[in-house]
Amino acid sequence: MLRLVDRDAQLAALGLSWSQARSGAGSVILVEGPVATGKTELLHAFGDLVRDGAPLRLCATCSPAERSLPLGVAGQLALGLPAEFRAHTTALIDRATSATDSVAVLHDLCRELLELAAHTPMLITVDDAQHADPLSMVWLLCLARRLATVPMLLVLAGGLGSCPGFATTRTDLLRLPHCASTQVAPLSEPALTQLLSRRCGSRMADRLAGPFFAASGGNPLLFTALLEDWRAGRGIAGSGYQRALLDCLRRSGPCDLRVVQGLALLDQPTPAALLGALLDLDSDLVADLVRALEAAGLLVNGTVAHDNGRSGLLADLAPGERAALHRAAARLLHERGAPATAVARHIVAGAGGVADVAGAGGAAGAAGAAGAAGAGGADVAIVLDAADAHLLADDLPAARECLAYAAEHSTGERSAAAARARLATVEWCVDPVTAARHLTPLLADARAGLLTVAQRIDLCRQLIWRGRMQDAAGVVDELPDDDAQVRSFRLWLACTHPRLAPARQRCWSRDAPSGLRFSAVLADVLLHGRPEQVVDRCEQLFQESQVHRDVRWPNDSPLVSLLPGVYVGALEATATWCERWTANAGNNPVLRAQLAAVSAEIAARCGDFGTAIDKARAALDIVAPKAWGTAAGLPLGTLVLAATRTGDLDTAAECLRLPVPCAMFESRSGLHYQYARGIHQLALDNAHAAAADFRACGDLMRQWSIDTPGLVAWRIGLAQAWLRLGRHEQARALLKEQLVGLGPEFDAVRGATMRLLAACAPPDQRVNLLTAATEIIDNSANRFELALALTDLSYAHEAAGEHRRARLTARRAWHVAQSCDAGPICAELAKLVGADTARGVQDDTGSTALSRAERRVAALAADGHSNRAIAAKLFITESTVEQHLTKIYRKLNLKRREDLLASLPPDLSASIRTVSNRRS
């Protein structure tokens, strides 16, 4: 129970005074403390302790509602007297309330109690004594002066020092030598932990003590409410806590409640002068009340302790009164030079009847009369400034509220249209489906000439995203040709939605913002076939634009700025940019989803299908497939492809059943989707359906003049389908066409092409072709293509009678496929060399036991270095190299050096490639 915790000092003081009173030395004890800190519980606990001494205990509780009842306290105490004394005392009370001069009667009333106490020790407790009626205060003071030599203890409890009406009485009492005061403060955190341990167990107490203490400040009433909320499943600080906080403040007085509601409305520590001006209260009184409320635990550092308590306090205000206070707060803050964000919050909250904050006027009184005239232009300007500040701080919800207010309350058509355009852009960053509600009004604004060029470009992007191609085409046709932003935008159209791109203009301008200039890089990769220096150009533009803060970037910026690096095979550099950008993505869900989609595509192209699936799922979880609009092809396509490669055909089929907009198939993202669908059809052995998908990709890419294998290698996919159908000559012709003009950035494509050419070649040529394909792919990041090439090479060695080499190659292929989570390939290889593959699993376990030095030696030995060369490179002796190799062979269960390469795990194989590349 609360009365038994953290109150030992107070109980000891009362117990000592009671012992002295029973010995004939009466005294007065003032039990003082803030509201709801457990003074009543302390009185009850003390009464229980002295009950065994059989005293005469008289109790009274005062109330503000009974302050007009003369001698109400004496009347309550008389009820506990023996019958013979009660009648006489009641008669004296009646005489005192009716007599003109009641002083003599009050003396008689005191004498009655003192005579009774002389025969029976008497304990008198008066709770909330600060609310006693004036006559009772006089009588209590008279009694206190006369009880020093009788066995009587008078205990007066309440917020005595904070009540102006009781101040004089308290001063007079404390002058008495037999009067003392004991303070009751809120409970400490250890005390709350002790209480929670008794009620919830020690483990739960450790979890709840901190939050409970933070929300209650140690106030016992608030603590009890918190505990009830938690037990009822309402979480921490639910409705019970809100009611308890209001009850505490109402018990403190109307000024206390109003002060705390003012602080809840301002939601920050506020100077007493500002709070007093807002509430029309004296600033000194406000300062005193705030200190008292902090002492009671009802405020923490000048603010309401918990957000739920704050919302409950504001909900207790009538809507009109709350709006008037917000308007008054906006004026006062603006007059004092507060930041636009602080002023705008109150402008928006008081929008039920907004007056011009920047104009002259009083505080709360003037605010109520100003309302219905509508928002002033200065208000809108402040709110727009606040929106800019919120965007820089990455607070999209707050910016959204400000822009919604500006769009509704702007007086001019052009300013309202501008605010609406900005609102649509911000909402699009949170939820493109919700933002779509603005497209029709914005389309009307564009036709009326109310939008700037940049706003019309952004409108086009959103219309295209939602699949409204006809509307977008109308806006595109009206864009001026001589604007740098328009030229970059049309270049983006040519790369992403070519049917909307005017043929008359496919050039770009250096005058465009950095974010838009990525369109030129994308065009060089897709349209112009110039992948050179893409990495350097992208790095320069990233540094110029500071991507996470440049508001001029298009909404689909990751899909514009990062994919050029993906398409030219600069996967490592692009992954670095993606990680850097993701760290700064903040609270922008669409941006985070797009970055996850690009990361998934990078992982898939590296053959890391497990990561690709995770990233693609994250992209579709952050932004639902429906909200992806015409860009859904990228995350869905990556997920379908990665799931197919791992053998999870059900997941791939489930993704392909999701509805997508028809306009997606007229976009670049649709190519990713169709290519992945073709791969899935191949896995299902539906070669004709797969060929149709790959052929559709090729037709569109050639028609749109973006036929580059870095986008999607449709020729390789179509060749695979034709090989399944036995059309070898057509497959060979297509593959030779694919080899034309391939640079080093497309090593994975060139290697895959040569792998398939080997399938079309005579058996005696396959080993050479596949060996060359393996070496080429080994220089790329695509581990999956390497696993395929090694698998085909193992079959070629087997067909050529080179059985041992076939098994070694198959084991290496199994390791690479295992690192890709490519289940179908692993299963095929297990059938080919089941025993050796099973031993390969054991080898993986052994390889993890290699020390760091042994792993270095193993990598160099597998790469063909002699013992002397290894010793020279690692600065060790040849004897040490031999010892390391002996341990390596034992751990990997090998007999000869030639078996080493096929037994190494993928990470060591990668280090071998690195060493080889550096050596070359």
Side-chain angles (χ1 to χ4, degrees), residues 310-385:
R310 175 178 173 271
S311 61
L313 289 164
L314 294 179
D316 189 61
L317 289 167
E321 182 182 4
R322 186 167 62 247
L325 283 172
H326 275 298
R327 295 194 297 272
R331 280 193 185 81
L332 291 168
L333 290 171
H334 181 71
E335 291 168 358
R336 286 161 172 77
T341 51
V343 179
R345 184 173 71 85
H346 294 289
I347 294 176
V348 173
V354 179
D356 194 340
V357 169
D379 286 2
V380 174
I382 292 171
V383 171
L384 288 174
D385 287 343

Side-chain angles (χ1 to χ4, degrees), residues 38-91:
K39 298 181 291 296
T40 301
E41 291 286 349
L42 179 63
L43 294 183
H44 290 319
F46 178 60
D48 292 342
L49 289 175
V50 303
R51 182 182 303 164
D52 295 338
L56 179 59
R57 183 181 175 191
L58 306 179
C59 302
T61 301
C62 303
S63 168
E66 298 181 359
R67 293 197 65 170
S68 60
L69 180 63
L71 283 180
V73 174
Q76 290 186 59
L77 296 176
L79 297 176
L81 293 172
E84 63 272 18
F85 283 89
R86 187 188 311 144
H88 191 204
T89 301
T90 303

Side-chain angles (χ1 to χ4, degrees), residues 521 525 534-535 538 560-571 574 577:
V521 182
V525 172
V534 164
V535 175
C538 287
V560 179
S561 56
L562 294 173
L563 286 179
V566 175
Y567 293 154
V568 299
L571 301 181
T574 309
W577 298 330

Side-chain angles (χ1 to χ4, degrees), residues 190-383:
L192 288 187
T193 305
Q194 183 180 352
L195 283 171
L196 284 168
S197 297
R198 295 178 183 178
R199 301 186 180 193
C200 309
S202 58
R203 181 176 298 179
M204 189 60 65
D206 292 338
R207 292 177 52 191
L208 296 179
F212 272 32
F213 186 76
S216 69
N219 186 284
L221 184 60
L222 295 184
F223 165 76
T224 302
L226 288 167
L227 188 59
E228 291 174 357
D229 281 336
W230 180 76
R231 284 176 168 173
R234 294 189 290 264
I236 294 178
S239 57
Y241 171 81
Q242 292 176 333
R243 288 192 299 269
L245 181 58
L246 285 168
D247 289 345
C248 287
L249 293 169
R250 290 192 179 105
R251 287 169 55 182
S252 299
C255 289
D256 298 68
L257 176 58
R258 189 162 176 79
V259 165
V260 178
Q261 285 175 328
L263 289 170
L265 183 124
L266 294 169
D267 196 23
Q268 61 183 358
T270 304
L274 175 59
L275 188 57
L278 175 66
L279 303 175
D280 197 20
L281 294 174
D282 179 73
S283 60
D284 292 337
L285 173 62
V286 169
D288 290 342
L289 291 175
V290 168
R291 283 192 292 270
L293 292 166
E294 286 182 333
L298 303 180
L299 292 176
V300 176
N301 297 325
T303 59
V304 180
H306 199 280
D307 285 342
N308 288 350
R310 175 178 173 271
S311 61
L313 289 164
L314 294 179
D316 189 61
L317 289 167
E321 182 182 4
R322 186 167 62 247
L325 283 172
H326 275 298
R327 295 194 297 272
R331 280 193 185 81
L332 291 168
L333 290 171
H334 181 71
E335 291 168 358
R336 286 161 172 77
T341 51
V343 179
R345 184 173 71 85
H346 294 289
I347 294 176
V348 173
V354 179
D356 194 340
V357 169
D379 286 2
V380 174
I382 292 171
V383 171

Side-chain angles (χ1 to χ4, degrees), residues 897-918:
R897 196 183 192 106
E898 290 78 8
D899 297 338
L900 188 58
L901 180 60
S903 302
L904 291 182
D907 58 338
L908 281 184
S909 299
S911 66
I912 292 172
R913 288 200 305 273
T914 302
V915 170
S916 300
N917 292 339
R918 289 175 179 172

Side-chain angles (χ1 to χ4, degrees), residues 524-525 529-535 564-571 605 708-711 740-751 776 779-782:
D524 277 347
V525 172
R530 295 196 296 263
E532 303 86 5
Q533 298 181 339
V534 164
V535 175
V566 175
Y567 293 154
V568 299
L571 301 181
R605 292 186 181 227
T708 173
L711 178 52
V740 176
L742 285 182
E745 63 274 3
F746 300 125
D747 278 343
V749 176
R750 188 164 72 254
I776 293 171
N779 291 326
S780 73
N782 197 322

Side-chain angles (χ1 to χ4, degrees), residues 148-171:
T149 57
V150 295
M152 177 185 290
L153 176 61
L154 174 61
V155 182
L156 305 178
L160 308 179
S162 61
C163 181
F166 198 79
T168 302
T169 304
R170 178 179 180 275
T171 301

